[in-house]
């Protein structure tokens, strides 16, 4: 039997990096053996591996009930990814104006300064 119910918020965890994605249980299929999440992924009802993973040995992500702090970790991970992608694609031919880039730099510097004040080392 599964510990999950339709409507439960769950976190997809990678064994090495922790919480990766937040989703909601939308349905159960295959006689309640397959759990369908709001991101379209399908998992065994116990959340221990993806439905039809294709290999006998599975060492992939798992689904767990969302815990306090999971949303913050996932949000931070996604924001870092967007910032890295933004910076990677940035060059002199970028359509962003110098003023727009200066605003981005000013925000980054302000956030870094606020973080140092909040957590002095």
């Amino acid at each position: 039997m599964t510990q999950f119910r339709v409507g439960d918020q769950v976190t997809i965890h990678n064994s090495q990096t922790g919480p990766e994605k937040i989703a909601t249980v939308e349905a159960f299929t295959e006689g309640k053996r397959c759990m369908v999440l709001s991101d379209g992924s399908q998992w065994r009802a116990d959340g221990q591996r993806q439905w039809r993973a294709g290999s006998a040995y599975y060492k992939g992500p798992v689904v767990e009930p969302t815990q306090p702090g999971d949303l913050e970790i996932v949000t931070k991970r996604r924001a870092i990814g967007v910032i890295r992608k933004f910076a990677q694609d940035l060059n002199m031919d970028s359509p962003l104006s110098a003023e727009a880039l200066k605003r981005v730099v000013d925000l980054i510097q302000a956030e870094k300064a606020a973080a140092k004040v909040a957590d002095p080392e």
Side-chain angles (χ1 to χ4, degrees):
M1 198 63 184
T2 179
Q3 63 179 334
F4 303 106
R5 295 180 311 219
V6 171
D8 284 353
Q9 189 176 45
V10 296
T11 304
I12 300 171
H13 281 261
N14 183 304
S15 60
Q16 307 218 339
T17 58
E20 288 187 338
K21 187 186 297 185
I22 305 288
T24 304
V25 178
E26 288 197 338
F28 288 93
T29 61
E30 307 290 333
K32 294 195 176 192
R33 292 180 299 139
C34 177
M35 177 172 52
V36 181
L37 301 183
S38 57
D39 66 353
S41 62
Q42 297 181 348
W43 298 80
R44 280 190 350 196
D46 63 3
Q48 294 305 300
R49 66 177 216 164
Q50 289 185 297
W51 189 253
R52 302 189 205 289
S55 69
Y57 181 73
Y58 183 81
K59 189 177 180 182
V62 297
V63 173
E64 297 178 0
T66 299
Q67 300 296 317
D70 285 356
L71 183 58
E72 183 178 346
I73 292 169
V74 169
T75 301
K76 187 173 182 177
R77 173 173 280 132
R78 301 266 178 213
I80 289 168
V82 168
I83 292 167
R84 284 182 176 162
K85 175 74 171 135
F86 171 77
Q88 178 181 342
D89 293 343
L90 201 56
N91 59 46
M92 290 302 289
D93 296 328
S94 174
L96 294 174
S97 68
E99 294 82 21
L101 292 171
K102 179 72 171 107
R103 285 193 304 271
V104 170
V105 169
D106 290 345
L107 282 171
I108 290 170
Q109 289 175 339
E111 290 297 329
K112 285 174 63 176
K116 285 182 182 177
V117 169
D119 186 26
E121 291 183 5

